[in-house]
Structures are given as structure tokens and as C-alpha cells.
Amino acid sequence: QKEVEQNSGPLSVPEGAIASLNCTYSDRGSQSFFWYRQYSGKSPELIMFIYSNGDKEDGRFTAQLNKASQYVSLLIRDSQPSDSATYLCAVSPPGQNFVFGPGTRLSVLP
Amino acid sequence: ETGVTQTPRHLVMGMTNKKSLKCEQHLGHNAMYWYKQSAKKPLELMFVYSLEERVENNSVPSRFSPECPNSSHLFLHLHTLQPEDSALYLCASSQVLDTGYGYTFGSGTRLTVV
């Protein structure tokens, strides 16, 4: 059973703080990792992807991947109320379609 | 708009009705997907099409019937649904079946079965 786990939250952080979202996965052969943001009532939107161990930065977002420990995280710096959404982690096991986690609900408090 | 268009946005149907959901992508992608999203549950993959051929069917009840007439269009035909089928149905597409490139999702159809 291929699984992707996330803390469902809600994760509450004050405006301007760093939000840290974590995801673990079970298939050690997974190669591609994605973070999607989903606002309430809307469809998921791809915000970051990472393939290699280490950090990948894009604006206020940083994705971190550690394949040995089988976790991937998303850091959001200078969190804004507009970042309040559910963040979905998706993992691509080799030769298979995405496996999505249940999502972490983030609430940024003004 | 993300390049993947779904209609209708909202649908209320009785358990004896027949309806269809439509998805159209304008991205030149070769793979298309139907997902079901229920409250507090992970996205559930329902059907996968690559170059108009169904490549995966994840044990979905026969009351859901997909159709992919060409690489740009995907339908989900619904009949004799149950209240537990009420959910957000999302269509997605990707460049190729290998999902290393990520998906583009449509806005979804919010389905309510009464």
C-alpha cells in the first residue's frame, strides 16, 4: 500500500511567521514530489515540485526533500492570510500515478 | 482558468437521474484523469486515460462510466448514483502519463446526489 501522510491540522501561524508543512511517504523508490495548494471550494494548484535531495526555493516557498528519511516539507516564509488553504503533498512512485496525502489545513492569523 | 475546463461547476441530481460531467483541456496534454475528492479524505484516482485509451480503473463502481473521445476531451457519465457519491469531481491532465511533470487540475464539479 503506497501511502502519503500529512498532519491534517489545522496549523495556525501568525502573520509574518514561517509555516512548516511536513509530509512522509512509504515508497522508497519515489522520484518526484509535489506540493499543491487548494483554497476552500477550489481545485488544487501546483506551487512547488522537487526531485533532488536538499532545498529548492521559489519566492517565499522552500521545498525540502530527504529521501533517506522519506520526508518532504514545505516552508512558507513571511506567511500571509492569503496563504490560508489546504496544502496537498503528492508523490509519484516509479511507474505509477500520483499518490496524494490528505492535506494539511493552514490558517494564517492576521 | 488553468487550461483545463470542467462543466458544469455545480450539479444536483436525483438517484435515478443520468447526467454527464465534461472536461476539456487546451494544453496539448496526452494524459487525462478523473479524481474524486470527498470531505476529509485524500484525492481518489478514478480513471486514467493516455492518448484516449483507458490505462487504469481503480475499482470504481459501474455507475460511473468514463469516455475519452479524443485527447482533449474527457467525460464522466453518471447514472443511479448514491448519496455517498456526493463530492467534488476533479479532472486533471498532464503532458504524458509519466507524472514527473505534475498535473493541471480543472475547477471541478461539485456534485450533490439527493
Side-chain angles (χ1 to χ4, degrees):
Chain A
Q1 179 78 18
K2 307 295 188 294
E3 291 186 347
V4 176
E5 297 186 349
Q6 298 179 254
N7 188 324
S8 62
L11 172 67
S12 295
V13 299
E15 184 174 357
I18 296 176
S20 177
L21 305 163
N22 299 313
C23 171
T24 59
Y25 58 94
S26 62
D27 192 327
R28 187 172 288 278
S30 299
Q31 297 293 324
S32 308
F33 307 87
F34 303 82
W35 283 99
Y36 285 82
R37 177 178 62 200
Q38 186 174 23
Y39 292 113
S40 180
K42 304 294 185 182
S43 62
E45 172 194 11
L46 180 65
I47 55 172
M48 288 286 289
F49 60 89
I50 186 168
Y51 303 142
S52 304
N53 276 330
D55 295 359
K56 179 182 178 182
E57 187 174 321
D58 183 2
R60 295 187 296 112
F61 298 97
T62 299
Q64 299 176 317
L65 175 62
N66 184 322
K67 290 186 178 180
S69 301
Q70 295 176 239
Y71 82 78
V72 57
S73 62
L74 180 69
L75 302 179
I76 306 175
R77 290 183 300 280
D78 188 24
S79 295
Q80 302 297 308
S82 59
D83 295 324
S84 298
T86 296
Y87 289 81
L88 304 174
C89 174
V91 174
S92 180
Q96 299 184 38
N97 294 296
F98 277 10
V99 179
F100 283 87
T104 297
R105 189 155 57 92
L106 172 67
S107 178
V108 180
L109 307 174
Chain B
E1 289 295 336
T2 63
V4 179
T5 303
Q6 287 187 245
T7 54
R9 296 293 295 270
H10 301 273
L11 178 62
V12 179
M13 59 185 290
M15 289 190 285
T16 59
N17 292 158
K18 290 185 179 180
K19 297 286 184 183
S20 296
L21 310 184
K22 180 182 177 182
C23 176
E24 184 175 359
Q25 58 97 359
H26 314 280
L27 302 169
H29 288 173
N30 289 322
M32 297 185 76
Y33 312 80
W34 279 116
Y35 276 88
K36 175 184 178 182
Q37 189 175 37
S38 304
K40 300 186 186 301
K41 293 177 68 175
L43 282 164
E44 300 174 54
L45 179 64
M46 299 177 72
F47 300 104
V48 180
Y49 278 84
S50 176
L51 297 172
E52 305 146 45
E53 285 193 26
R54 189 191 306 181
V55 297
E56 189 160 339
N57 172 356
N58 281 2
S59 302
V60 179
S62 59
R63 56 186 183 269
F64 296 91
S65 175
E67 179 189 1
C68 187
N70 55 62
S71 60
S72 298
H73 293 86
L74 186 64
F75 295 89
L76 187 62
H77 304 299
L78 316 172
H79 65 97
T80 60
L81 294 192
Q82 304 298 310
E84 60 265 28
D85 296 323
S86 299
L88 179 67
Y89 288 84
L90 291 162
C91 174
S93 70
S94 62
Q95 286 183 321
V96 292
L97 191 59
D98 177 352
T99 54
Y101 297 95
Y103 292 174
T104 300
F105 282 91
S107 299
T109 295
R110 174 69 62 184
L111 173 66
T112 302
V113 180
V114 297

